[in-house]
Amino acid sequence: MKDITSIEKKRIFSSLTMKLWNIEVMKPESVMEQQLTLQPVLIVLLKGVASLGRADRTTRMRKDTVYFCPSHTTFGVSGPDGNSVSVAILYFGFYEVSDFSSRKQLVEVNADTILLKESEFTLSSSDRLSLVCRSIYDHFHSEDDFEKWRSQLEFQEMLYELVTSSSLGTKGDKKKGLEQTREYIDNHYNEELTIDHLAKIADLSPKYFIDIFKKTYGQSAMEYLTEVRMSKAKQLMLGSSRILKDVAHMVGYKDEFYFSRKFKKEFGLSPSAYIKKRKNKLAVYGSSSLLGYLKPLNMVPYAAPLHPKWSKYYYHTLGPDIPVHLDGFRLNHNKNANLEKLHLSQPELIICSQGLELWEKERLQQIAPIYELPPDSEGWEYQLRWIAHLLDKDTEAERWIESYHTQLLSSRRETASTLRNRPTLLTARLHDYQLESHRSLGMEEVLFDNLQFTSPKWLENQVDDIPLSTEMLKEIDADYIVMLVRQDSETLEYWRKLQSTSDWMMIPAVREGRFHLLPSYPWREYSPIALEQMVGEAIHIFSEECP
């Protein structure tokens, strides 16, 4: 969106009304996993040291700054282990009057457009910001209706200060300057960049720029430059037949030998060794769970869908070694953009998941030969052997399968005491405001087929996804309950309220410590790597040593 004048900005806000839908104060011990927010969000660090992850960008949080996340994006908070962290999360919306059939109605307006895609607002006093957030929280959650109304007024006052401070060019300009600098590095990494030059872009003194960049992003500007250059170098080396000298020059290094030393320091092997190791330009399309079949074969694809929420494990373990990141938002939500990116990366072959639309397959076939993973009904061992045969990795597959079955035997020994009498286990999930029975393929195989839990009699002959209530859970009285909670703002808000009810606390398994939350990964994925991690988690949950 193009820049608008201060007068135009004021005119936009004069026609709007704002609504605070909820405010939470979260105290994650070390990590608050990335979650999908269905509403615009403001996040404030109240206490401790923490980093904020928004999509694939991480920012070191400051107590004098309010961080904005648009609706339908993801965010998470992390801090050092043992660090006492507290963050305020405010869910809100902008609305304007619209004439519809001669009747005036309030219509929601895109907050991202209204805030002009500004991701941070810095205020003059961190203490005052903290006090305002705590006051809004106390009043919003008060039983007194006037106090609730007061929270709305305080929130609007807070928004007013954020927007006007930004418009007047206060400390928020530092943040804009730093973001402009990072964008400049992203686009000019192949040029000779110095601290003096980058500081000038940020409109800061070199000394202050060095300090504030590291405090804001957790790494120095030169470290970030190296990271960008090395990532681009990987793409160039694997995506073409260019000689090493040309690659070095194209990412900003005049001396190819210095580039080689730098590359080896970053990745532990020389550029030539890296190219030899990654000579096949394999691409994965459709689902990041396909990476759970390649990892046992020690294969790293050239391109794959990755996202810090929907494929967190692969994003962190394989992401740095995958040159081309397809967009993994909501599991291949942005199909056209991913297909275009795949076309530009020119892979030699593509492995894709089941369930693609015909037009997707046709487009993929124009890019490279495609191989569709056999359906899950064939079983993961058949699927793994199929991929291994395709990639000439049969030996690696058999070795991994043997190791997995050895781990299964060990898991049965470690859980023998708990599972001696084949206890009943209820597997469930919570999404939106609905609690229901649920078994993923991985749950079925690991918990019921391998560890031999039994279903409560009430559910033995029932289909999956049966709506449940707290009363039903009390009547079922399963020996153990495990549950998946969808990581989006509305479901998490409902889950926090549900846990605090007396009905929930009266469920026998909950009251007696036999209820366990399961993370989305690995329990929603069906792949060899996910199953291996499920077995490990099951041992931790159900062994005698588990508290």
Side-chain angles (χ1 to χ4, degrees), residues 97-107:
V97 176
S98 176
D99 291 326
F100 181 74
S101 300
S102 301
R103 297 174 60 187
K104 293 186 180 296
Q105 295 182 351
L106 284 178
V107 178

Side-chain angles (χ1 to χ4, degrees), residues 43-52 54 59-67 77 86-88 120-127 129-130 133 171-172 174-175 178 204 208-209 211-218:
I43 305 170
V44 179
L45 177 64
L46 303 177
K47 180 182 177 183
V49 177
S51 295
L52 174 66
R54 287 172 290 183
T59 303
R60 184 73 62 88
M61 297 185 74
R62 294 168 58 93
K63 293 178 183 176
D64 61 353
T65 301
V66 179
Y67 300 87
V77 178
S86 178
V87 293
E120 300 171 11
F121 302 86
T122 304
L123 300 181
S124 57
S125 172
S126 59
D127 290 338
L129 177 58
S130 177
C133 288
K171 287 169 61 179
K174 296 175 186 174
K175 303 292 184 181
L178 291 176
L204 299 170
Y208 184 63
F209 171 77
D211 180 57
I212 195 67
F213 193 100
K214 180 116 185 218
K215 284 182 178 178
T216 302
Y217 301 117

Side-chain angles (χ1 to χ4, degrees), residues 51 61 89 103 151 161 182 194 208 213 220 254 261 322 354 356 391 404 423 432 448 456 467 471 521 535:
S51 295
M61 297 185 74
I89 306 173
R103 297 174 60 187
S151 71
E161 187 170 349
R182 286 227 298 186
T194 65
Y208 184 63
F213 193 100
S220 71
K254 294 180 179 178
R261 291 195 299 272
I322 297 177
Q354 290 277 325
L356 299 186
L391 302 175
Y404 175 75
D432 294 331
F448 294 93
E471 283 300 318
Y521 180 84
V535 172

